[in-house]
Amino acid sequence: MNVKKTILPLLMLTLAFFVSMTPLVSASSTYTVNLLVAYDEEWTSISISRYAYDPKVFAAIIVDDAFFEFYVEFYITYRIIAYRSWDSDDSVTNKDVMMNEVIAETGFTSGMFIGGIRVDVLVAFSDQESIGVYGYSDNSLGVLLVMETYLDGVGQATDNVFQHELSHLYGATDEWIEGHTCVMNVYPYWIDFPYYYYVPTALVTNNWCSSQTATIMSNRGSWGRNDPSGLGGCMGTVWHTLKAIMEW
C-alpha cells in the first residue's frame, strides 16, 4: 500500500509552502474558514510533556498541518481567530456529553463574533483517553473534538484525526474498504514488526479518494466565505501560529 503520512511541519516549511503555493490558487475560488480553538487540561499536559510545546503552539501546528492538505486539494484555508482553555470533566466518557461540555464552557455558536470577527467552527483539542474515540464531529453545529493521538509504529496522528473529522463537515463519510488508502477509511490497517496490531487506515494516510474529494469540493462553501484575495486565510493562520509561538 502506498501510504503518505505528513510529518508535523516546521514553521519555516509552512511559510515556504504559502509563498510557493499561493500564486497557483484562483483567488475567486478560495474559501476562508475562521476557527475558535479550545484545549483542555489534558491537552496542555501532553503538549508540554510529550512535545515540549505550549498547548496553543501544538494546536496551531495541528491546524496548519491539516490546513496544508485542504489548501492544496480544495483551496480552503483555515484561520485561528481565538484560543480558549476549557476544563473537561475527567469522568466524562460519552462523546456527545463532552462536546456539549466544551460548547457550554466556550459559549460557541457558529456565526458568533469574537473581536468583531465572525467564527465558523469550533475545534476542541483533548487528551482525555476515557472518551474512547479518536475524534468526533457535528456538521450541524460546526464543532469538532480531536484527541491527541500518538501510536507506536505510526507516530504523530493527531493531524489525521483533525483532517478526518474536518472532512465530515463537508459531507465526507466513513469508509470500510480493505487496502483503500484514504483518510476517511476506518478499515483496520496492520502495523507490523515489532508492534503487531491494527489501527484505522485513516491514521496512516492524508490522502482522499476521488469520491470523497468530489464530495468535499462540492460542499466547500458550507463553511466560511469566499476570500477575494485568496490570501487572508493563509497569512492569518501563519500569523496565529507565530503569535502562539511568541506568546509561548
Side-chain angles (χ1 to χ4, degrees), residues 3 32 87 96 134 148 205-206 221:
V3 174
T32 298
D87 183 14
D96 292 292
Y134 294 108
E148 187 275 335
T205 179
N206 297 110

Side-chain angles (χ1 to χ4, degrees), residues 132-150:
V133 295
Y134 294 108
Y136 186 51
S137 60
D138 188 312
N139 61 6
S140 63
L141 297 176
V143 180
L144 310 178
L145 285 176
V146 179
M147 310 304 291
E148 187 275 335
T149 303
Y150 187 98

Side-chain angles (χ1 to χ4, degrees), residues 74-115:
F74 308 110
Y75 304 152
I76 301 174
T77 71
Y78 297 93
R79 180 172 60 171
I80 300 173
I81 299 304
Y83 296 92
R84 297 285 186 272
S85 60
W86 60 292
D87 183 14
S88 60
D89 185 341
D90 294 343
S91 66
V92 173
T93 57
N94 181 284
K95 58 185 181 296
D96 292 292
V97 172
M98 193 172 186
M99 180 172 284
N100 290 337
E101 180 187 48
V102 69
I103 291 172
E105 289 198 28
T106 60
F108 174 80
T109 57
S110 183
M112 69 186 291
F113 284 81
I114 297 178

Side-chain angles (χ1 to χ4, degrees), residues 34-55:
N34 292 336
L35 307 178
L36 170 61
V37 169
Y39 55 90
D40 66 2
E41 66 276 19
E42 286 84 7
W43 176 268
T44 297
S45 176
I46 199 68
S47 297
I48 296 170
S49 64
R50 173 171 286 168
Y51 304 101
Y53 283 135
D54 175 90

Side-chain angles (χ1 to χ4, degrees), residues 12-13 30 33 41 49 73-74 90 97 141 147 177-178 199 203 205 207 226-229 239 245:
M12 291 309 296
L13 291 179
T30 303
V33 182
E41 66 276 19
S49 64
E73 195 71 41
F74 308 110
D90 294 343
V97 172
L141 297 176
M147 310 304 291
I177 306 172
E178 184 177 5
V199 300
L203 297 184
T205 179
N207 295 329
N226 190 282
D227 185 357
S229 70
W239 165 244
I245 291 173

Side-chain angles (χ1 to χ4, degrees), residues 161-182:
V161 176
F162 181 41
Q163 183 183 346
H164 178 97
E165 298 304 334
L166 196 55
S167 298
H168 279 312
L169 291 191
Y170 298 96
T173 56
D174 288 340
E175 298 179 345
W176 183 267
I177 306 172
E178 184 177 5
H180 186 53
T181 306
C182 180

